[in-house]
Amino acid sequence: LFFIFNPSPARGLLVGLHYVCPRLSLIYIFNIFFRQVDVIEGCRLPVLRKNQENEDEWPLAEILSVKEIPGRKLYYVHYIDFNKRLDEWVTPERLDMKKLQFPKKEAKTPTKNGLPGSRPSSPEREVPQAQQKCLPTKTSISDFQVLQQQVQPPTITVRLCFDFLSPLFKFSQNGTARRPMPNQPGRKRKQPPNCGGTDEDSQDSSDGIPSAPRMTGSLVSDRSHDDIVTRMKNIDCIELGRHRLKPWYFSPYPQELTTLPILYLCEFCLKYLKSLKCLQRHLTKCNLRHPPGNEIYRKGTISFFEIDGRKNKTYSQNLCLLAKCFLDHKTLYYDTDPFLFYVMTEYDSKGFHIVGYFSKEKESTEDYNVACILTLPPYQRRGYGKLLIEFSYELSKVEGKTGTPEKPLSDLGLLSYRSYWSQTILEILMDLKPDNGERPQITINEISEITSVKKEDVISTLQYLNLINYYKGQYILTLSEDIVEGHERAMQKRHLPIDPKCLHFTPKDWSKRGKW
Amino acid sequence: MSKLSFRARALDAAKPLPIYRNKDLPDLNDCVSINRAVPQMPTGMEKEEESEHHLQRAISAQSVFREKKENMVIPVPEAESNITYYDRLYKGELRIPKQLFHIQPLGLDNEQPDYDMDSEDEILLNRLNRKMEIKPIQFETMVDRLEKASTNQMVTITEAKLLLNEDDYLLKAVYDYWVRKRKNCRGPSLIPLIKLEKRDGSTNNDAYVAFRRRTEKMQTRKNRKNDEASYEKMLKLRREFSRTVTILEMIKRREKSKRELLHLTLEVVEKRYQMGDFTGEVLSEVTAPLAEKPVYTVPITVTNGNRHNHKAEIKIKSGGLPYHGYHHVSVKDEDPFDFVRPKKKYTRREPLCRPGRPAKRQHIVNKADIKQYDFHSSGEEDYPLSPSSEPDEENDPDGTFAFRRKAGCHYLAPCLDQTSGLLWDHPELAGLDALRHRQSLTALSVPQRCVGLARRRVGRGGRVLLDRASSDLDGVLKQLDSGVFSSSFPKGLSDHQVPTQNHRTMPGSASSLTDLLSNIQALRWRFFRPRSTQGDDSGEGRTGRPSMDNRLSGGLFVHTKNSGSGGITEEQYQVHQQALAQMQKQQLAQLQLKTAGSTDCIISKTLDSAGAHFAASAVISAPGQVNNENKPDNTSVNGVVQPLVESLPPHSTSTSQGGTGLDRSGRTPSSGGPLLPASHSTTPQSLPNHRGHGSAVSPAHHHHNARPSPSSLKLATMATSSLDRVPKVTPAISSMARDNHEPERLALNGISETTVPMEVT
């Protein structure tokens, strides 16, 4: 009977349960079966997705959220060991309920205090309903009483039933998942009600969790603020010029706009609009055809515009909001004042279309020459990222400094930078000619000076390329054939170098200007 | 060969690394393991993310293939680039300019509404458009304004009416629509906006709050301390600047009201003049109920008298006198207790009679007028409790030397009772006590007349100042002064005197000229008088310009004209008028003076130096000219003459000066004298003041005829020293060497000579 009625993958459990609790009323059993078995937040199970070869794969995923739209439920899943950008809403059909795992209590303990370095794969949350392991035999009755009292009238049979069922299924009155309030104790509301909200921002609060990100830089390195809201993408689609972009991450666009199927952006001023009609109206008033800054570089169709985050706040903020859609660690906690934004555009007859950008602190205390860097998805994997990186180092060369991108790097960032560093350094090494019959040699400092790449990055690149060897009592650089070949192949593909002659850039000494 | 038996040295960034190709090093494989000696550099990624499947796959693919493989890249959510309506949406084309774009940060906002119409609005707009013309931009502007005005609360319909200057129907329609729409709107505003932080910190963890302000803390490490200090300094500076701005605003307001007052005063004066209110009766009638607060101004000084005196004219009780007021000088002598009181007097100024209208010039001062006058001059209730500040400093070249009221000082008018105790009420004391009562009879040679009782002292820069004292003998002395320079005494002197003395005379004073003269001759009184010089003194100047000479009497002593014994004839006066008119024509067109004579009554800011000198020369030379025919034995210039000089018979003919003495009032002070316009000023801007001063002073002349005040004498001497080029003059005067008349005479001759060219310029 059970097998017949049970459409759920969890039926095995129920069968087991039946044996454990043979006095369960049939009515309740039926209720359970005819309602959809709820997969709650924190559960893990394989979820179907297509890979790049368009093949089916069933990576393990974690349920981050559940929502019910008329007719069906949707589950927001994060694929374990995949980047968050691939998180998505899936229909129940894509869930492999057979392999459902319920959330483990231990999973959160190492990240409870938001210690940097070990990011939880799922956002922190309080899940009082589901703190127990999935096997009912391991649960103790007392653990569940608090919870089930909220849900069901306290009749003996019901309680007995739910004592066992509650860790497995959640019956919610309205059918939607009760989203646990992200009220992490010690994080929310820990500030006294009368605090000014300014002075304490930069200080750690008593329980050791920073209440606000550091004020330098534009990236957050720890995930202590990674709650369920920021963990999930909130914009479905952005229309920007000719492109429709699928955001990768959360971005704090006005909340009322997050429910829209498409968020429209003005291609040039990046203003966000709720509908195509609004965009149309906006375009009658917005006569920008390029980013509202000074063009400091132009070669061919590629231009760079410099925008001061203090002077052009609206554009800077709009740019940050857009960029946040594609940058996980970027924080928009603070204003844009201490940053300069370098927007790369490609010209066509319609105007200067934004391709990507990087931001840069006006004054960096840690030799950062890039804070955030992004090539917009439609332009990715076409060499623009490398161009952006190259441009950032060209600026550093003009400034006479070495620089490094702000950390943490994203996966794409790491690949791009490594690629750029490798190519730049290899080019130098291969161009070195023997001097008076002597073997060419170079110091790491020299490489750093030539390229403006910070010394540590040079070393890590040499290491990554496996060039450093210890030979006959000294360190040497060895160039293997495959490296040389690979480099030559890569250089053939690289067709868009930055021309320093086209750069019209005078660095400003921001420290002497007072406040940015 | 290379085993790990030793510890590899750390990688030195400054040490050259030789570069080998692998093929050059067949034995390289032996040393690969040493690679570990180089510390692994962090990737810069978060550890959790570093282990992500796609990244690892991509990294390994790269390390294997040395290039990207299409299927090994990190997958990202898809993007589409096929918006078909793009060209319709983004209209127009942009031609790439040759120049790089350079944005002017301020040129960006063209004040377009931030609100963008949606299709719902379009429906409304279409509906409205059936009744009236409304453009989308107009609608957007309306909604935009409504939105921006409703930060906390929605604006009401009345506020909306103020906000939007639209017709009622449209406004009502749009407003109602807006209210409805806003209530249905899920966001806080119809213009979607980023959530702003709340300062109470409640939004610190709100994920939708972005772009929070940074705290005040400085970001830079090096100069944090300096930065904070300078930040505080900037704050302070800002405060101070804003205070300065406030103060300047207030000054601006004050100056505006001052100008207003000035214009009003001017108007009052003109009105009074037109209605002939020379006695001030009308004014006092009008102003009496106002219970006007006394306004105290800086007492008359040499230069700022102009404006000040105009004020004094409308303010019945106000009006300052210079330090060298005369009346009380003798008081000072007698009663040290009263020392402070004489410093300030409250006179009632009359507008100067215009010489051009003889009928109006006639001004009989009646008893009541004088009473009123006295009342005001001595009224204790009018004394200031605190000094008023007359901030007219920029017009005051006297600068620090100007008289200023002292805070907390009470400046008392002379008591009437005390006048009975004056020296001149007890003439028997005068001669005997000459040293104590240093007021002596004094005569000037240019103009040749007796200035009455005066005391000499050395002023600033060695100038000789004559402090004049008024006494009841003034009338007599007036006659004396012509007598000083003429050989014969007027016979009917006392006849003149009696009817014109319309104030009480001191019973004990020597009221007859003969008594006075006998006193002088008997050396009971000292009489300083210029020693006689050759007859050519100041001759050419005066004879060459008789009309100008007459101007003095015309302009300043107008009332003498009809006072019976006046020496200035009608025709003299007319000539003078013509001369003045000519002068006027020569002056610039901006002169607002109607006639030359009217300059006396009007703030003569438009007077130029030529005019001033014109007047000055007239004043100086007029008496001399008048007396010239009568007194060939004219004595020395401007000096003080010992009373024992016989050559001054104290008999005056019926000269103009004699005539002016008719209606004098001995105790009414006057701050200006006839010589006043002759003051030194060579700078054009100070001239008008002098002129005005003279004019303002003029009411006093009704009472104090032709008696130059000490201040005017001072002016005269200053004029002397500045006008002529003889540097010896000033020391000569200041030395008060009675016998050393020669340079002084030269000096005075110089006056008339130098004034001639100056008039022309």
Side-chain angles (χ1 to χ4, degrees), chain B residues 369-513:
Chain B
D369 202 16
I370 289 170
K371 276 248 173 78
Q372 177 203 31
Y373 214 85
D374 285 347
F375 174 73
H376 286 298
S377 62
S378 61
E380 303 269 340
E381 71 276 9
D382 294 334
Y383 289 142
L385 292 177
S386 64
S388 79
S389 64
E390 175 66 52
D392 205 2
E393 316 257 314
E394 66 270 27
N395 286 337
D396 185 5
D398 255 20
T400 53
F401 299 108
F403 173 76
R404 284 184 188 80
R405 291 181 155 274
K406 258 192 172 173
C409 268
H410 284 233
Y411 295 93
L412 306 176
C415 289
L416 290 177
D417 311 341
Q418 303 239 339
T419 54
S420 61
L422 283 176
L423 166 66
W424 311 112
D425 298 337
H426 309 282
E428 67 277 11
L429 295 176
L432 300 173
D433 230 353
L435 277 179
R436 189 162 75 87
H437 309 291
R438 284 173 298 152
Q439 314 283 347
S440 306
L441 277 176
T442 307
L444 299 180
S445 61
V446 177
Q448 285 181 342
R449 59 194 179 84
C450 176
V451 294
L453 299 167
R455 181 182 62 170
R456 288 155 293 125
R457 59 186 174 84
V458 183
R460 276 182 290 124
R463 281 169 276 216
V464 170
L465 306 179
L466 293 180
D467 294 337
R468 300 187 60 196
S470 72
S471 76
D472 292 322
L473 292 176
D474 281 355
V476 185
L477 293 173
K478 281 298 161 249
Q479 297 165 335
L480 176 70
D481 81 23
S482 52
V484 165
F485 301 104
S486 63
S487 50
S488 64
F489 272 85
K491 297 304 173 210
L493 186 66
S494 53
D495 294 333
H496 285 288
Q497 191 178 350
V498 173
T500 56
Q501 271 190 326
N502 41 18
H503 65 93
R504 51 200 168 119
T505 53
M506 299 304 142
S509 66
S511 52
S512 79
L513 186 58

Side-chain angles (χ1 to χ4, degrees), chain B residues 119-136:
Chain B
S119 21
E120 193 185 350
D121 302 336
E122 205 172 26
I123 294 168
L124 173 87
L125 214 63
N126 288 336
R127 199 155 47 81
L128 286 174
N129 264 333
R130 277 178 234 149
K131 300 211 169 164
M132 66 183 67
E133 186 79 12
I134 174 170
K135 292 202 179 81

Side-chain angles (χ1 to χ4, degrees), chain B residues 8 16 18 44 52 67 101 120 158 166 168-169 196 204 247 257 330 391 443 469 491 496 515 559 579 591 616 741:
Chain B
E52 280 173 358
E67 64 179 318
F101 284 100
E120 193 185 350
T158 41
E166 302 286 353
D168 275 359
Y169 174 78
L196 294 175
N204 277 5
I247 289 171
S257 43
S330 50
K491 297 304 173 210
H496 285 288
D515 290 351
H559 54 284
L591 299 184
H741 300 302

Side-chain angles (χ1 to χ4, degrees), chain A residues 121-395:
Chain A
S121 58
S122 63
E124 282 188 40
R125 68 172 104 231
E126 296 296 309
V127 194
Q129 300 96 328
Q131 288 183 340
Q132 297 303 312
K133 306 212 168 174
C134 57
L135 286 180
T137 49
K138 289 183 188 171
T139 60
S140 65
I141 288 173
S142 62
D143 281 333
F144 298 124
Q145 276 177 349
V146 176
L147 167 78
Q148 63 84 220
Q149 274 168 3
Q150 310 164 349
V151 182
Q152 287 291 330
T155 64
I156 298 292
T157 47
V158 168
R159 183 187 290 169
L160 273 173
C161 166
F162 275 89
D163 283 350
F164 294 101
L165 290 179
S166 52
L168 306 180
F169 312 109
K170 192 164 131 251
F171 294 85
S172 47
Q173 305 297 341
N174 54 5
T176 56
R178 203 180 312 244
R179 158 132 11 132
M181 290 296 290
N183 58 333
Q184 293 92 335
R187 180 169 306 154
K188 302 273 181 187
R189 295 181 191 87
K190 67 179 171 304
Q191 297 211 340
N194 58 346
C195 81
T198 52
D199 279 351
E200 293 162 49
D201 280 358
S202 57
Q203 292 165 355
D204 286 359
S205 53
S206 54
D207 55 0
I209 300 169
S211 60
R214 68 200 162 106
M215 277 198 289
T216 54
S218 57
L219 297 177
V220 281
S221 56
D222 68 83
R223 309 302 303 182
S224 61
H225 288 268
D226 192 15
D227 62 18
I228 188 63
V229 178
T230 56
R231 185 58 216 280
M232 288 162 54
K233 305 171 186 181
N234 57 343
I235 310 280
D236 274 348
C237 183
I238 287 179
E239 188 175 308
L240 173 78
R242 289 190 181 91
H243 314 291
R244 282 227 174 121
L245 316 173
K246 290 275 184 199
W248 299 357
Y249 307 106
F250 171 87
S251 181
Y253 277 107
Q255 211 161 355
E256 63 263 29
L257 301 180
T258 58
T259 52
L260 300 168
I262 296 175
L263 179 65
Y264 294 86
L265 297 197
C266 169
E267 195 193 4
F268 298 108
C269 78
L270 303 180
K271 181 179 177 176
Y272 38 87
L273 300 136
K274 64 176 179 182
S275 70
L276 192 57
K277 176 70 195 168
C278 289
L279 174 62
Q280 228 169 8
R281 283 296 310 152
H282 167 75
L283 288 175
T284 62
K285 293 176 278 184
C286 176
N287 45 16
L288 275 180
R289 281 295 181 267
H290 58 86
N294 293 333
E295 194 181 8
I296 59 168
Y297 176 89
R298 186 195 292 169
K299 180 160 191 186
T301 57
I302 296 294
S303 290
F304 275 87
F305 290 81
E306 184 186 60
I307 289 126
D308 188 324
R310 192 176 70 84
K311 289 181 183 158
N312 203 331
K313 276 195 177 22
T314 312
Y315 184 83
S316 306
Q317 293 186 353
N318 289 343
L319 180 61
C320 281
L321 286 168
L322 174 63
K324 180 67 191 74
C325 291
F326 306 101
L327 296 171
D328 189 12
H329 295 280
K330 182 175 175 59
T331 175
L332 302 188
Y333 197 88
Y334 292 120
D335 59 36
T336 58
D337 286 18
F339 294 98
L340 292 169
F341 296 87
Y342 294 93
V343 178
M344 183 166 77
T345 62
E346 195 169 41
Y347 168 79
D348 73 9
S349 60
K350 287 290 179 183
F352 292 76
H353 307 280
I354 178 169
V355 166
Y357 90 105
F358 66 90
S359 59
K360 177 176 182 168
E361 279 180 290
K362 292 170 181 174
E363 280 179 284
S364 173
T365 53
E366 287 158 281
D367 292 339
Y368 293 143
N369 65 351
V370 163
C372 292
I373 184 164
L374 170 72
T375 309
L376 286 174
Y379 298 93
Q380 283 172 358
R381 297 178 49 215
R382 285 154 60 177
Y384 291 110
K386 215 158 282 171
L387 210 57
L388 280 168
I389 295 172
E390 189 180 354
F391 189 80
S392 74
Y393 281 109
E394 288 300 329
L395 295 186

Side-chain angles (χ1 to χ4, degrees), chain A residues 456-474:
Chain A
E456 287 77 6
D457 295 333
V458 174
I459 295 172
S460 82
T461 306
L462 293 174
Q463 239 171 19
Y464 164 74
L465 292 173
N466 223 350
L467 299 187
I468 307 178
N469 280 297
Y470 200 72
Y471 180 72
K472 289 182 178 168
Q474 64 170 344

